[in-house]
Amino acid sequence: MLDMNSSRSVFGVVLACLAGVGITVPAHAGIKDEYERAQACDYNKAEYGSDVGVFDEVSVRFCISEDRRFVVYVMRSGKSWTLPFDRDYRQAGVMSLNTIEGDKLVNYTKKEGVVKRVILGRKRVDRPVLY
């Protein structure tokens, strides 16, 4: 027979495995949602345009998702991706935060204790066509 300590550890392992399986299912739905959210941002109608010198040789524009949880990066070619908006996130070991300050989209990064502030883009203004 199993003693009480080993049965608790077996129960703990089984519970951890079941919890792990339950956690992976919503992740797939999150990826699909992220893809659909990224596809919803149209390059020509994007609210923010990339600032000079931020993205070399690539035109990038930005949209904020309807629920204001994500910022969508979209390229002229149609490729797009999302990152969290107005909350800290970690990517490749670097802490980051995307937020809005006035009419600017700003990214803060913290790496090895040093915080950098980069203006990613500015609010786009529709200008009348001059003939």
Side-chain angles (χ1 to χ4, degrees):
M1 280 202 105
L2 292 173
D3 65 348
M4 193 57 130
N5 288 337
S6 64
S7 65
R8 283 184 185 163
S9 63
V10 170
F11 177 72
V13 169
V14 170
L15 186 62
C17 289
L18 290 175
V21 170
I23 291 171
T24 59
V25 174
H28 295 296
I31 292 169
K32 182 180 176 189
D33 292 340
E34 182 177 335
Y35 174 80
E36 290 171 353
R37 190 177 292 112
Q39 296 302 309
C41 182
D42 181 19
Y43 180 83
N44 296 315
K45 297 176 184 175
E47 193 174 1
Y48 293 88
S50 62
D51 213 27
V52 176
V54 176
F55 295 97
D56 296 332
E57 302 175 13
V58 177
S59 294
V60 178
R61 293 190 179 163
F62 312 94
C63 298
I64 308 297
S65 66
E66 289 181 19
D67 59 5
R68 299 196 55 87
R69 293 181 55 215
F70 297 93
V71 61
V72 180
Y73 290 58
V74 63
M75 296 172 56
R76 181 175 289 167
S77 66
K79 183 177 181 177
S80 56
W81 63 97
T82 62
L83 290 173
F85 177 71
D86 257 349
R87 65 181 195 266
D88 294 342
Y89 67 95
R90 185 176 296 275
Q91 184 176 16
V94 178
M95 288 294 296
S96 296
L97 169 74
N98 292 311
T99 190
I100 294 176
E101 295 176 0
D103 66 341
K104 299 173 187 139
L105 180 62
V106 181
N107 175 266
Y108 289 93
T109 57
K110 181 178 180 182
K111 184 176 181 180
E112 298 176 2
V114 178
V115 177
K116 285 180 161 179
R117 178 181 181 264
V118 176
I119 298 173
L120 292 178
R122 299 175 192 274
K123 195 160 194 109
R124 295 179 60 220
V125 178
D126 292 329
R127 297 188 177 132
V129 177
L130 302 175
Y131 294 98

